[in-house]
Coordinates of all heavy atoms in Angstrom, one line a residue:
M1 N 171.9 52.9 46.4 CA 171.2 52.8 45.1 C 170.9 54.3 44.5 O 171.0 54.5 43.3 CB 169.8 52.0 45.1 CG 169.2 51.7 43.9 SD 170.3 50.8 42.9 CE 169.0 49.6 42.3
E2 N 170.6 55.1 45.5 CA 170.4 56.5 45.0 C 171.6 57.2 44.4 O 171.5 57.9 43.5 CB 169.8 57.5 46.2 CG 168.4 57.0 46.5 CD 167.9 57.9 47.8 OE1 168.5 58.9 48.0 OE2 167.1 57.4 48.3
D3 N 172.8 56.9 45.1 CA 174.1 57.4 44.4 C 174.4 56.8 43.1 O 174.8 57.7 42.2 CB 175.3 57.0 45.3 CG 175.1 57.7 46.8 OD1 174.6 58.7 46.8 OD2 175.8 57.1 47.7
Q4 N 174.0 55.7 42.8 CA 174.2 55.1 41.4 C 173.3 55.7 40.4 O 173.6 56.2 39.3 CB 173.9 53.6 41.5 CG 174.3 53.0 40.1 CD 174.0 51.4 40.1 OE1 173.5 51.1 40.9 NE2 174.3 50.9 38.9
T5 N 172.0 56.1 40.8 CA 171.1 56.7 40.0 C 171.5 58.2 39.7 O 171.5 58.6 38.5 CB 169.6 56.7 40.7 OG1 169.2 55.3 40.8 CG2 168.7 57.5 39.8
R6 N 172.1 58.8 40.7 CA 172.5 60.2 40.6 C 173.6 60.2 39.7 O 173.7 61.1 38.8 CB 172.8 60.7 41.9 CG 173.2 62.3 41.9 CD 173.5 62.9 43.2 NE 172.4 62.6 44.1 CZ 172.8 62.0 45.4 NH1 173.9 61.5 45.7 NH2 171.6 61.8 46.2
D7 N 174.6 59.3 39.9 CA 175.8 59.2 38.9 C 175.4 59.0 37.4 O 175.9 59.5 36.5 CB 176.7 58.0 39.3 CG 177.4 58.4 40.7 OD1 177.5 59.5 41.1 OD2 177.9 57.5 41.3
N8 N 174.4 58.0 37.3 CA 173.8 57.7 36.0 C 173.2 59.0 35.4 O 173.4 59.3 34.1 CB 172.8 56.6 36.0 CG 173.4 55.3 36.2 OD1 174.7 55.1 36.2 ND2 172.6 54.4 36.7
L9 N 172.5 59.7 36.0 CA 171.8 61.0 35.6 C 172.7 62.1 35.3 O 172.5 62.9 34.5 CB 170.7 61.4 36.6 CG 169.5 60.5 36.7 CD1 168.7 61.0 37.8 CD2 168.7 60.5 35.4
T10 N 173.9 62.1 35.9 CA 174.8 63.2 35.7 C 175.9 62.8 34.7 O 176.8 63.6 34.5 CB 175.4 63.7 37.0 OG1 176.1 62.6 37.7 CG2 174.4 64.3 38.0
D11 N 176.0 61.5 34.3 CA 176.9 61.1 33.3 C 176.8 61.9 32.0 O 175.8 61.8 31.2 CB 176.8 59.7 33.1 CG 177.9 59.0 32.1 OD1 179.0 59.8 31.9 OD2 177.7 57.9 31.9
T12 N 177.9 62.7 31.7 CA 177.9 63.5 30.3 C 177.9 62.6 29.2 O 177.3 63.0 28.2 CB 179.0 64.5 30.4 OG1 180.2 63.8 30.4 CG2 178.9 65.6 31.5
S13 N 178.4 61.4 29.2 CA 178.5 60.6 28.0 C 177.1 60.1 27.6 O 176.7 60.1 26.4 CB 179.3 59.4 28.2 OG 178.9 58.4 29.2
T14 N 176.2 59.9 28.5 CA 174.9 59.5 28.3 C 174.1 60.7 27.6 O 173.4 60.4 26.6 CB 174.2 59.0 29.6 OG1 174.8 57.9 30.1 CG2 172.7 58.6 29.4
W15 N 174.3 61.9 28.1 CA 173.6 63.1 27.5 C 174.2 63.3 26.1 O 173.4 63.8 25.3 CB 173.6 64.2 28.5 CG 172.8 64.0 29.7 CD1 173.3 63.6 31.1 CD2 171.5 63.9 29.8 NE1 172.3 63.5 31.9 CE2 171.1 63.6 31.2 CE3 170.4 64.1 29.0 CZ2 169.8 63.5 31.6 CZ3 169.1 64.0 29.3 CH2 168.8 63.7 30.8
M16 N 175.4 63.1 26.0 CA 176.0 63.3 24.7 C 175.5 62.3 23.7 O 175.1 62.6 22.5 CB 177.4 63.2 24.6 CG 178.2 64.4 25.2 SD 177.7 66.1 24.3 CE 178.6 65.7 22.8
R17 N 175.2 61.1 24.1 CA 174.6 60.0 23.3 C 173.2 60.5 22.9 O 172.8 60.3 21.7 CB 174.6 58.7 24.1 CG 173.9 57.6 23.2 CD 174.9 56.7 22.8 NE 174.3 55.7 21.9 CZ 174.7 54.5 21.6 NH1 176.0 54.3 22.0 NH2 174.2 53.6 20.8
L18 N 172.4 61.2 23.7 CA 171.2 61.6 23.4 C 171.2 62.7 22.3 O 170.4 62.7 21.4 CB 170.4 62.3 24.7 CG 169.1 62.9 24.4 CD1 168.1 62.0 23.9 CD2 168.6 63.7 25.6
L19 N 172.2 63.6 22.4 CA 172.4 64.5 21.3 C 172.7 63.9 20.0 O 172.0 64.2 19.0 CB 173.6 65.4 21.6 CG 173.9 66.6 20.6 CD1 172.7 67.5 20.6 CD2 175.2 67.3 21.1
Y20 N 173.6 62.8 20.0 CA 173.8 62.2 18.7 C 172.7 61.3 18.3 O 172.3 61.2 17.0 CB 174.9 61.2 18.9 CG 176.3 61.8 19.1 CD1 177.1 61.8 20.2 CD2 176.7 62.6 18.0 CE1 178.3 62.5 20.3 CE2 178.0 63.4 18.1 CZ 178.8 63.2 19.1 OH 179.9 63.9 19.1
I21 N 171.8 60.8 19.2 CA 170.5 60.2 18.8 C 169.7 60.9 18.1 O 169.1 60.7 17.0 CB 169.8 59.5 20.1 CG1 170.6 58.3 20.6 CG2 168.4 59.1 19.7 CD1 170.1 57.8 21.9
V22 N 169.5 62.3 18.5 CA 168.7 63.2 17.8 C 169.3 63.5 16.5 O 168.4 63.5 15.4 CB 168.5 64.6 18.5 CG1 167.8 65.6 17.7 CG2 167.7 64.2 20.0
L23 N 170.6 63.7 16.3 CA 171.2 64.0 15.1 C 171.0 62.8 14.1 O 170.6 63.0 13.0 CB 172.7 64.1 15.2 CG 173.6 64.2 14.0 CD1 173.4 65.5 13.1 CD2 175.0 64.1 14.3
F24 N 171.2 61.6 14.6 CA 171.0 60.4 13.7 C 169.6 60.2 13.3 O 169.3 59.5 12.3 CB 171.9 59.2 14.2 CG 173.3 59.4 14.1 CD1 174.2 59.3 15.3 CD2 174.0 59.5 12.9 CE1 175.5 59.5 15.2 CE2 175.3 59.8 12.9 CZ 176.0 59.7 14.0
T25 N 168.7 60.4 14.2 CA 167.4 60.4 13.9 C 166.8 61.2 12.6 O 166.3 60.8 11.8 CB 166.5 60.5 15.1 OG1 166.8 59.6 16.0 CG2 165.0 60.4 14.7
L26 N 167.5 62.4 12.7 CA 167.2 63.4 11.6 C 168.0 62.8 10.3 O 167.3 62.8 9.1 CB 167.7 64.7 12.0 CG 167.9 65.8 10.8 CD1 166.3 66.1 10.5 CD2 168.6 67.0 11.2
A27 N 169.2 62.2 10.4 CA 169.9 61.7 9.3 C 169.2 60.5 8.7 O 169.0 60.2 7.5 CB 171.3 61.2 9.7
F28 N 168.6 59.7 9.7 CA 167.8 58.5 9.2 C 166.5 59.0 8.3 O 166.3 58.3 7.3 CB 167.3 57.7 10.5 CG 166.3 56.6 10.2 CD1 166.9 55.3 9.9 CD2 164.9 56.8 10.2 CE1 166.0 54.3 9.6 CE2 164.1 55.6 9.8 CZ 164.6 54.4 9.6
N29 N 165.9 60.0 8.8 CA 164.8 60.5 8.0 C 165.1 61.1 6.7 O 164.4 60.8 5.7 CB 164.1 61.5 8.9 CG 163.2 60.9 10.0 OD1 162.7 59.9 9.9 ND2 163.3 61.5 11.2
I30 N 166.2 61.6 6.6 CA 166.7 62.3 5.2 C 167.1 61.0 4.5 O 166.7 61.1 3.2 CB 168.0 63.1 5.5 CG1 167.5 64.5 6.1 CG2 168.7 63.4 4.2 CD1 168.7 65.2 6.7
A31 N 167.7 60.0 5.0 CA 168.1 58.9 4.2 C 166.8 58.2 3.6 O 166.8 57.7 2.6 CB 169.0 57.9 5.0
E32 N 165.8 58.1 4.5 CA 164.6 57.4 4.1 C 164.0 58.1 3.0 O 163.4 57.4 2.1 CB 163.7 57.5 5.3 CG 162.3 56.8 5.2 CD 161.4 56.8 6.4 OE1 161.5 57.9 7.1 OE2 160.7 56.0 6.7
F33 N 164.0 59.5 3.1 CA 163.4 60.4 1.9 C 164.2 60.0 0.6 O 163.6 59.9 -0.4 CB 163.4 61.7 2.2 CG 162.8 62.7 1.3 CD1 161.5 62.7 0.9 CD2 163.8 63.5 0.6 CE1 161.1 63.5 -0.1 CE2 163.3 64.3 -0.4 CZ 162.0 64.3 -0.8
L34 N 165.5 60.0 0.8 CA 166.4 59.7 -0.4 C 166.1 58.4 -1.0 O 166.1 58.1 -2.3 CB 167.9 60.0 -0.1 CG 168.3 61.3 0.3 CD1 169.7 61.4 0.7 CD2 168.0 62.3 -0.9
I35 N 165.9 57.4 -0.2 CA 165.7 56.1 -0.7 C 164.4 56.1 -1.4 O 164.2 55.4 -2.4 CB 165.6 55.0 0.5 CG1 167.0 54.7 1.0 CG2 164.9 53.7 0.1 CD1 167.1 54.0 2.2
A36 N 163.3 56.8 -1.0 CA 162.1 56.9 -1.6 C 162.3 57.5 -3.0 O 161.7 57.1 -4.0 CB 161.0 57.7 -0.8
I37 N 163.0 58.6 -3.0 CA 163.4 59.2 -4.4 C 164.0 58.3 -5.3 O 163.7 58.3 -6.5 CB 164.2 60.5 -4.3 CG1 163.3 61.6 -3.7 CG2 164.7 61.0 -5.5 CD1 164.1 62.8 -3.0
V38 N 165.1 57.6 -4.8 CA 165.8 56.6 -5.7 C 165.0 55.5 -6.2 O 164.9 55.1 -7.3 CB 167.0 56.0 -4.9 CG1 167.5 54.8 -5.6 CG2 168.1 57.0 -4.6
T39 N 164.0 55.1 -5.3 CA 163.0 54.0 -5.6 C 162.1 54.4 -6.9 O 162.0 53.7 -7.9 CB 162.2 53.6 -4.4 OG1 163.0 53.0 -3.4 CG2 161.2 52.6 -4.8
V40 N 161.6 55.7 -6.7 CA 160.6 56.2 -7.8 C 161.5 56.4 -9.1 O 161.0 56.0 -10.2 CB 159.9 57.5 -7.3 CG1 159.3 58.1 -8.5 CG2 159.1 57.2 -6.2
V41 N 162.5 57.0 -9.0 CA 163.3 57.2 -10.2 C 163.7 56.0 -10.9 O 163.8 55.8 -12.1 CB 164.6 58.2 -9.8 CG1 165.5 58.3 -11.1 CG2 164.1 59.6 -9.5
Q42 N 164.2 55.0 -10.1 CA 164.6 53.7 -10.6 C 163.4 52.9 -11.2 O 163.6 52.3 -12.2 CB 165.2 52.7 -9.4 CG 165.8 51.5 -9.9 CD 167.2 51.7 -10.6 OE1 167.2 52.3 -11.7 NE2 168.3 51.4 -9.9
F43 N 162.2 53.1 -10.7 CA 161.0 52.4 -11.3 C 160.8 53.0 -12.7 O 160.6 52.3 -13.6 CB 159.8 52.7 -10.4 CG 158.6 52.3 -11.0 CD1 158.2 51.0 -11.1 CD2 157.7 53.2 -11.7 CE1 157.0 50.5 -11.7 CE2 156.6 52.8 -12.3 CZ 156.2 51.3 -12.3
F44 N 160.8 54.4 -12.8 CA 160.6 55.0 -14.1 C 161.7 54.6 -15.0 O 161.6 54.5 -16.3 CB 160.4 56.4 -14.0 CG 159.0 56.8 -13.5 CD1 158.8 57.2 -12.2 CD2 157.9 56.6 -14.3 CE1 157.5 57.5 -11.7 CE2 156.6 56.8 -13.8 CZ 156.4 57.2 -12.5
T45 N 163.0 54.6 -14.5 CA 164.1 54.2 -15.4 C 163.9 52.8 -16.0 O 164.1 52.6 -17.2 CB 165.4 54.1 -14.7 OG1 165.6 55.5 -14.1 CG2 166.7 53.7 -15.4
V46 N 163.5 51.8 -15.1 CA 163.1 50.5 -15.6 C 162.0 50.4 -16.5 O 161.9 49.8 -17.6 CB 163.0 49.5 -14.5 CG1 162.5 48.1 -14.9 CG2 164.3 49.5 -13.7
L47 N 161.0 51.3 -16.2 CA 159.7 51.3 -17.0 C 160.0 51.8 -18.4 O 159.5 51.1 -19.4 CB 158.6 52.3 -16.4 CG 157.4 52.5 -17.1 CD1 156.6 51.0 -16.9 CD2 156.6 53.6 -16.4
F48 N 160.9 52.7 -18.6 CA 161.2 53.3 -20.0 C 162.4 52.6 -20.6 O 162.5 52.5 -21.9 CB 161.5 54.7 -19.9 CG 160.2 55.5 -19.5 CD1 160.1 56.3 -18.4 CD2 159.1 55.5 -20.4 CE1 159.0 56.8 -18.1 CE2 157.8 56.1 -20.2 CZ 157.9 56.9 -18.8
S49 N 163.4 52.1 -20.0 CA 164.5 51.5 -20.6 C 164.7 49.9 -20.3 O 165.6 49.3 -20.8 CB 165.8 52.1 -20.0 OG 166.0 51.8 -18.6
K50 N 163.8 49.4 -19.5 CA 163.8 47.9 -19.2 C 165.0 47.5 -18.5 O 165.3 46.2 -18.4 CB 163.5 47.1 -20.5 CG 162.3 47.3 -21.2 CD 161.2 46.6 -20.3 CE 159.9 46.6 -21.0 NZ 158.9 46.4 -20.0
K51 N 165.9 48.4 -17.9 CA 167.0 47.8 -17.1 C 167.3 49.0 -16.1 O 167.1 50.1 -16.3 CB 168.2 47.6 -18.0 CG 168.8 48.9 -18.7 CD 170.0 48.6 -19.4 CE 170.5 49.8 -20.1 NZ 171.8 49.7 -20.6
P52 N 167.8 48.6 -14.9 CA 167.9 49.4 -13.8 C 169.2 50.3 -14.1 O 170.1 49.8 -14.7 CB 168.0 48.7 -12.6 CG 168.4 47.3 -13.1 CD 167.8 47.2 -14.5
N53 N 169.4 51.4 -13.6 CA 170.4 52.3 -13.7 C 171.4 51.8 -12.5 O 171.1 51.8 -11.4 CB 170.0 53.8 -13.3 CG 171.1 54.8 -13.4 OD1 172.2 54.6 -12.7 ND2 171.0 55.8 -14.1
E54 N 172.6 51.5 -12.9 CA 173.6 50.9 -12.1 C 174.0 51.9 -11.0 O 174.2 51.5 -9.8 CB 174.8 50.4 -12.9 CG 174.5 49.2 -13.8 CD 175.7 48.8 -14.6 OE1 176.8 49.2 -14.3 OE2 175.6 48.0 -15.5
R55 N 174.1 53.2 -11.3 CA 174.5 54.2 -10.3 C 173.5 54.4 -9.2 O 173.7 54.4 -8.1 CB 174.8 55.5 -11.0 CG 176.1 55.3 -11.8 CD 176.4 56.6 -12.6 NE 176.9 57.6 -11.6 CZ 177.0 58.9 -11.9 NH1 176.8 59.3 -13.1 NH2 177.6 59.7 -11.0
L56 N 172.3 54.3 -9.6 CA 171.1 54.3 -8.7 C 171.2 53.1 -7.7 O 170.8 53.1 -6.5 CB 169.8 54.5 -9.4 CG 169.6 55.9 -9.8 CD1 168.2 55.9 -10.5 CD2 169.6 56.9 -8.7
Q57 N 171.3 51.9 -8.4 CA 171.5 50.7 -7.6 C 172.6 50.7 -6.6 O 172.4 50.4 -5.4 CB 171.9 49.5 -8.5 CG 170.6 48.8 -9.3 CD 171.0 47.8 -10.2 OE1 172.2 47.8 -10.8 NE2 170.3 46.8 -10.3
S58 N 173.7 51.3 -7.0 CA 174.8 51.5 -6.0 C 174.5 52.4 -4.8 O 174.7 52.2 -3.7 CB 176.1 51.9 -6.7 OG 177.1 52.3 -5.9
L59 N 173.8 53.6 -5.2 CA 173.4 54.6 -4.3 C 172.4 53.9 -3.2 O 172.5 54.2 -2.1 CB 172.8 55.9 -5.0 CG 172.4 56.7 -4.0 CD1 173.4 57.4 -3.1 CD2 171.7 58.0 -4.8
G60 N 171.4 53.2 -3.7 CA 170.5 52.5 -3.0 C 171.1 51.5 -2.0 O 170.6 51.6 -0.9
G61 N 172.1 50.8 -2.4 CA 172.7 49.8 -1.5 C 173.5 50.6 -0.5 O 173.5 50.3 0.7
E62 N 174.3 51.6 -0.8 CA 175.0 52.5 0.1 C 173.9 53.2 1.1 O 174.3 53.1 2.3 CB 175.8 53.6 -0.6 CG 177.0 53.0 -1.2 CD 177.7 54.0 -1.9 OE1 177.7 55.2 -1.6 OE2 178.7 53.7 -2.7
L63 N 172.8 53.7 0.7 CA 171.8 54.2 1.6 C 171.3 53.1 2.6 O 171.1 53.4 3.7 CB 170.8 55.0 0.9 CG 171.1 56.2 0.2 CD1 170.0 56.7 -0.7 CD2 171.5 57.3 1.3
G64 N 171.1 51.9 2.0 CA 170.6 50.9 2.9 C 171.6 50.6 3.9 O 171.3 50.3 5.1
D65 N 172.9 50.4 3.6 CA 173.9 50.1 4.5 C 174.0 51.2 5.7 O 174.2 50.9 6.7 CB 175.4 50.0 3.9 CG 175.4 48.7 3.0 OD1 174.7 47.9 3.3 OD2 176.4 48.7 2.2
Y66 N 173.8 52.5 5.1 CA 173.9 53.6 6.2 C 172.6 53.6 7.1 O 172.9 53.7 8.3 CB 173.8 54.9 5.4 CG 173.8 56.1 6.3 CD1 175.0 56.5 6.9 CD2 172.7 56.9 6.3 CE1 175.0 57.7 7.8 CE2 172.8 58.1 7.2 CZ 173.8 58.4 8.0 OH 173.8 59.4 8.7
V67 N 171.6 53.2 6.6 CA 170.4 53.1 7.4 C 170.6 52.1 8.5 O 170.3 52.2 9.7 CB 169.0 53.0 6.6 CG1 168.0 52.4 7.5 CG2 168.7 54.2 5.9
R68 N 171.3 51.0 8.2 CA 171.5 49.8 9.0 C 172.5 50.3 10.1 O 172.2 50.0 11.2 CB 172.2 48.6 8.3 CG 172.5 47.4 9.2 CD 173.2 46.3 8.4 NE 174.4 46.7 7.8 CZ 175.6 46.9 8.4 NH1 175.8 46.7 9.7 NH2 176.7 47.4 7.7
D69 N 173.5 51.0 9.7 CA 174.5 51.5 10.7 C 173.9 52.5 11.6 O 174.0 52.5 12.9 CB 175.6 52.2 9.9 CG 176.5 51.2 9.2 OD1 176.5 50.0 9.6 OD2 177.3 51.7 8.4
V70 N 172.9 53.4 11.2 CA 172.2 54.2 12.1 C 171.4 53.5 12.9 O 171.3 53.9 14.3 CB 171.4 55.4 11.2 CG1 170.5 56.1 12.1 CG2 172.3 56.3 10.4
V71 N 170.6 52.5 12.6 CA 169.7 51.9 13.4 C 170.4 51.0 14.6 O 170.1 51.1 15.6 CB 168.8 50.8 12.5 CG1 168.1 49.9 13.5 CG2 167.7 51.6 11.8
C72 N 171.5 50.5 14.1 CA 172.5 49.7 15.1 C 172.9 50.8 16.2 O 172.9 50.4 17.4 CB 173.6 49.3 14.4 SG 173.2 47.7 13.5
Y73 N 173.2 52.1 15.8 CA 173.7 52.9 16.8 C 172.5 53.4 17.7 O 172.7 53.5 18.9 CB 174.3 54.2 16.1 CG 174.9 55.2 17.1 CD1 176.0 55.1 17.8 CD2 174.1 56.4 17.4 CE1 176.4 55.9 18.7 CE2 174.5 57.2 18.4 CZ 175.7 57.1 19.0 OH 176.1 58.0 20.0
L74 N 171.4 53.7 17.0 CA 170.3 54.1 17.8 C 169.6 53.2 18.8 O 169.2 53.5 19.8 CB 169.0 54.5 16.8 CG 169.4 55.8 15.9 CD1 168.2 56.0 15.0 CD2 169.6 57.1 16.7
T75 N 169.8 51.9 18.5 CA 169.3 50.8 19.3 C 170.3 50.2 20.3 O 170.1 49.2 20.8 CB 168.6 49.8 18.5 OG1 169.5 49.2 17.6 CG2 167.4 50.3 17.7
Y76 N 171.4 50.9 20.3 CA 172.5 50.5 21.2 C 173.2 49.0 20.8 O 173.7 48.4 21.7 CB 172.2 50.4 22.6 CG 172.0 52.0 23.3 CD1 170.9 52.6 23.0 CD2 173.0 52.4 24.1 CE1 170.8 53.9 23.5 CE2 172.9 53.6 24.6 CZ 171.9 54.4 24.3 OH 171.8 55.6 24.9
Q77 N 173.1 48.7 19.6 CA 173.7 47.5 19.2 C 175.2 47.7 18.8 O 175.9 46.9 18.6 CB 173.0 46.9 17.9 CG 171.5 46.5 18.3 CD 171.0 45.8 17.0 OE1 171.6 45.2 16.1 NE2 169.6 46.0 17.0
S78 N 175.4 49.0 18.6 CA 176.8 49.4 18.3 C 177.1 50.7 18.8 O 176.3 51.6 18.9 CB 177.0 49.5 16.8 OG 178.3 50.0 16.4
D79 N 178.3 51.1 19.2 CA 178.8 52.3 19.6 C 179.4 53.2 18.5 O 179.9 54.3 18.7 CB 179.8 52.2 20.8 CG 179.1 51.7 22.0 OD1 177.8 52.1 22.3 OD2 179.8 51.2 22.9
H80 N 179.5 52.5 17.3 CA 180.2 53.2 16.1 C 179.3 54.2 15.6 O 178.0 53.9 15.3 CB 180.5 52.1 15.0 CG 180.9 52.8 13.8 ND1 180.0 53.1 12.7 CD2 182.2 53.1 13.4 CE1 180.8 53.7 11.8 NE2 182.1 53.7 12.1
M81 N 179.7 55.5 15.4 CA 178.8 56.5 15.0 C 179.0 56.6 13.5 O 180.0 56.8 13.0 CB 179.2 57.9 15.6 CG 178.7 58.0 17.1 SD 179.0 59.6 17.8 CE 180.5 59.4 18.8
P82 N 177.8 56.5 12.8 CA 177.9 56.6 11.4 C 178.1 58.1 10.9 O 178.3 59.0 11.6 CB 176.4 56.2 10.9 CG 175.8 55.7 12.2 CD 176.5 56.3 13.3
Y83 N 178.2 58.2 9.5 CA 178.4 59.4 8.9 C 177.3 60.5 9.3 O 176.2 59.9 9.6 CB 178.2 59.4 7.4 CG 178.4 60.5 6.6 CD1 179.9 60.9 6.2 CD2 177.4 61.4 6.2 CE1 179.9 62.0 5.6 CE2 177.6 62.4 5.5 CZ 178.9 62.9 5.2 OH 179.1 63.9 4.5
P84 N 177.7 61.7 9.7 CA 178.7 62.5 9.4 C 179.7 62.6 10.4 O 180.7 63.3 10.5 CB 178.1 63.8 9.3 CG 177.0 63.9 10.2 CD 176.4 62.4 10.3
I85 N 179.6 61.7 11.7 CA 180.7 61.8 12.5 C 181.9 60.9 12.1 O 183.0 61.4 12.4 CB 180.2 61.1 13.9 CG1 178.9 61.9 14.4 CG2 181.2 61.1 14.9 CD1 179.1 63.3 14.6
S86 N 181.7 59.9 11.5 CA 182.7 59.0 11.0 C 182.7 59.2 9.3 O 181.8 59.8 8.8 CB 182.7 57.6 11.3 OG 181.5 57.0 10.7
D87 N 183.6 58.4 8.6 CA 183.7 58.5 7.3 C 182.6 57.7 6.7 O 182.0 56.9 7.2 CB 185.0 58.0 6.8 CG 186.3 58.9 7.2 OD1 186.0 60.1 7.3 OD2 187.4 58.3 7.2
W88 N 182.2 58.2 5.5 CA 181.2 57.3 4.6 C 181.9 56.2 4.0 O 183.0 56.2 3.6 CB 180.8 58.3 3.5 CG 179.6 57.7 2.7 CD1 179.8 56.9 1.5 CD2 178.2 57.7 2.8 NE1 178.6 56.4 1.0 CE2 177.6 56.9 2.0 CE3 177.5 58.1 3.9 CZ2 176.3 56.7 1.8 CZ3 176.1 58.0 3.8 CH2 175.5 57.3 2.7
G89 N 181.2 55.0 4.0 CA 181.9 53.8 3.5 C 181.7 52.6 4.5 O 180.9 52.6 5.3
P90 N 182.5 51.6 4.2 CA 182.4 50.4 5.0 C 182.6 50.6 6.5 O 183.6 51.4 6.8 CB 183.6 49.5 4.4 CG 183.9 50.2 3.2 CD 183.7 51.6 3.2
K91 N 181.8 50.0 7.2 CA 181.9 50.2 8.7 C 182.1 48.7 9.3 O 181.9 47.8 8.7 CB 180.5 50.5 9.2 CG 179.7 51.6 8.4 CD 180.4 53.0 8.6 CE 179.7 54.1 7.8 NZ 179.5 54.2 6.5
P92 N 182.6 48.8 10.5 CA 182.8 47.5 11.1 C 181.4 47.0 11.5 O 180.5 47.6 11.6 CB 183.5 47.9 12.5 CG 183.4 49.3 12.6 CD 183.0 49.9 11.3
A93 N 181.4 45.6 11.5 CA 180.2 44.9 11.7 C 179.8 45.2 13.3 O 180.6 45.3 14.0 CB 180.3 43.3 11.6
P94 N 178.4 45.4 13.4 CA 178.0 45.7 14.8 C 178.2 44.5 15.6 O 178.2 43.3 15.2 CB 176.4 46.0 14.6 CG 176.1 45.3 13.3 CD 177.4 45.4 12.4
T95 N 178.5 44.8 16.8 CA 178.8 43.8 17.8 C 177.5 43.4 18.6 O 177.0 44.4 19.2 CB 180.0 44.1 18.8 OG1 179.5 45.5 19.4 CG2 181.2 44.3 18.2
S96 N 177.0 42.3 18.6 CA 175.7 42.0 19.1 C 176.0 41.8 20.5 O 176.8 41.1 21.1 CB 175.2 40.7 18.3 OG 174.0 40.4 19.0
K97 N 175.1 42.4 21.3 CA 175.1 42.3 22.7 C 174.0 41.4 23.3 O 173.8 41.3 24.4 CB 175.0 43.6 23.4 CG 176.2 44.7 23.2 CD 176.1 45.9 23.7 CE 177.1 46.9 23.2 NZ 177.0 48.2 23.7
R98 N 173.3 40.9 22.3 CA 172.3 40.0 22.6 C 172.7 38.7 23.1 O 173.7 38.2 22.4 CB 171.3 39.9 21.5 CG 170.5 41.2 21.2 CD 169.5 41.0 20.0 NE 170.3 40.7 18.8 CZ 169.9 40.4 17.6 NH1 168.7 39.9 17.6 NH2 170.6 40.3 16.6
K99 N 172.0 38.0 24.0 CA 172.3 36.7 24.4 C 171.7 35.7 23.5 O 170.5 35.9 23.1 CB 171.9 36.5 25.9 CG 172.8 37.3 26.8 CD 172.3 37.1 28.2 CE 173.2 38.0 29.1 NZ 172.7 37.9 30.5
P100 N 172.2 34.6 23.2 CA 171.5 33.6 22.4 C 170.3 33.0 23.1 O 170.3 32.9 24.3 CB 172.5 32.5 22.1 CG 173.7 32.9 22.8 CD 173.6 34.1 23.5
V101 N 169.3 32.6 22.3 CA 168.2 32.1 22.9 C 168.3 30.7 23.3 O 168.7 30.0 22.7 CB 167.0 32.4 22.0 CG1 165.6 31.8 22.5 CG2 166.8 33.9 21.6

């Protein structure tokens, strides 16, 4: 058992994942801040023009998709690394490792 623990602790892929976790946590916080800005600007756009800005709607949707991808990576639901490691845009659906209840 000690050999397995030692192997796990010296596995470089696990430590690299930690580095990516730190990077994507930072990216998550930036995306969260951008979503807050889009929300406030969109509110005032609707307040004054009575209709939402389509470009902001699109940006908000893309940021939401990005946050979903980051959360899936951070919680080990997916091994797919989001932007900036991979391209911005459509991602493969996360593969659920959870067992049905």
